[in-house]
Amino acid sequence: MARKSSCLVDGALEEISALEYILLGDLLDLLEEADGDAGAWNWISKVLDTLLKAMPREFELQDEGGYLEEVLAEHPNWQGQVRNLYQERCELLKKLDELRTRMRDSQPLQQMKLLASELRDELRDWITSYIAHQRHERRILQDAFNNDIGAAD
């Protein structure tokens, strides 16, 4: 039964990751055309809303059984790295929510034009940070199991 549950979690995580990948690509495209275009900023808002709904669910699924617990089972001394990644993940979600709030608070479009460049740069920076975070998560998982495999030689 635990195996079936694990497969369901893995499948849901894959779906959410695929959705995030698409949304981040869409967000980058929209930011290119955003300037004073109210329609583009409306779509950016919708993409941010969708990300802010998907990401907590992804985190919840990742946390089932403990965040990066498989890494800690192999390397308990990596607890500090795992804790830092967990905190970073929470900060990224909070930052995205703050950016969305700032964007909504800057409506109507006239005020948006004043902040458009700044928001665009901050959203790009956030995307870069989020992708770096995901890479770090993957790298720590790979390192944990590559070290484990390499130790048998």
Side-chain angles (χ1 to χ4, degrees), residues 7-139:
C7 289
L8 291 174
V9 168
D10 290 345
L13 272 171
E14 284 181 28
E15 287 180 21
I16 292 172
S17 292
L19 175 64
E20 279 181 6
Y21 179 80
I22 291 166
L23 290 171
L24 291 173
D26 289 348
L27 186 55
L28 283 170
D29 291 343
L30 288 165
L31 290 170
E32 289 299 318
E33 53 191 69
D35 267 342
D37 181 0
W41 284 103
N42 186 38
W43 279 108
I44 289 170
S45 179
K46 290 177 185 199
V47 168
L48 294 180
D49 288 344
T50 305
L51 277 170
L52 285 164
K53 286 178 188 166
M55 289 174 68
R57 178 65 181 140
E58 175 188 26
F59 296 169
E60 188 179 297
L61 290 170
Q62 287 175 337
D63 291 350
E64 281 191 20
Y67 178 67
L68 294 177
E69 199 59 38
E70 59 275 6
V71 170
L72 293 175
E74 294 295 320
H75 301 281
N77 58 325
W78 291 8
Q79 187 173 9
Q81 291 180 61
V82 170
R83 184 179 48 250
N84 290 343
L85 276 171
Y86 184 85
Q87 289 171 341
E88 181 180 65
R89 184 180 78 165
C90 295
E91 290 167 9
L92 283 163
L93 185 61
K94 182 180 175 191
K95 176 68 175 177
L96 186 61
D97 189 46
E98 289 170 0
L99 287 169
R100 180 189 60 175
T101 300
R102 277 184 52 216
M103 192 177 84
R104 285 193 175 153
D105 290 348
S106 67
Q107 300 292 338
L109 184 59
Q110 192 59 28
Q111 288 178 314
M112 177 63 78
K113 287 180 182 180
L114 300 173
L115 287 176
S117 178
E118 183 181 325
L119 280 169
R120 187 173 40 250
D121 291 344
E122 288 186 47
L123 282 166
R124 282 188 186 125
D125 289 346
W126 182 89
I127 291 169
T128 301
S129 295
Y130 188 65
I131 290 169
H133 172 81
Q134 289 178 318
R135 284 184 184 140
H136 193 180
E137 280 181 332
R138 280 192 301 274
R139 189 171 55 248

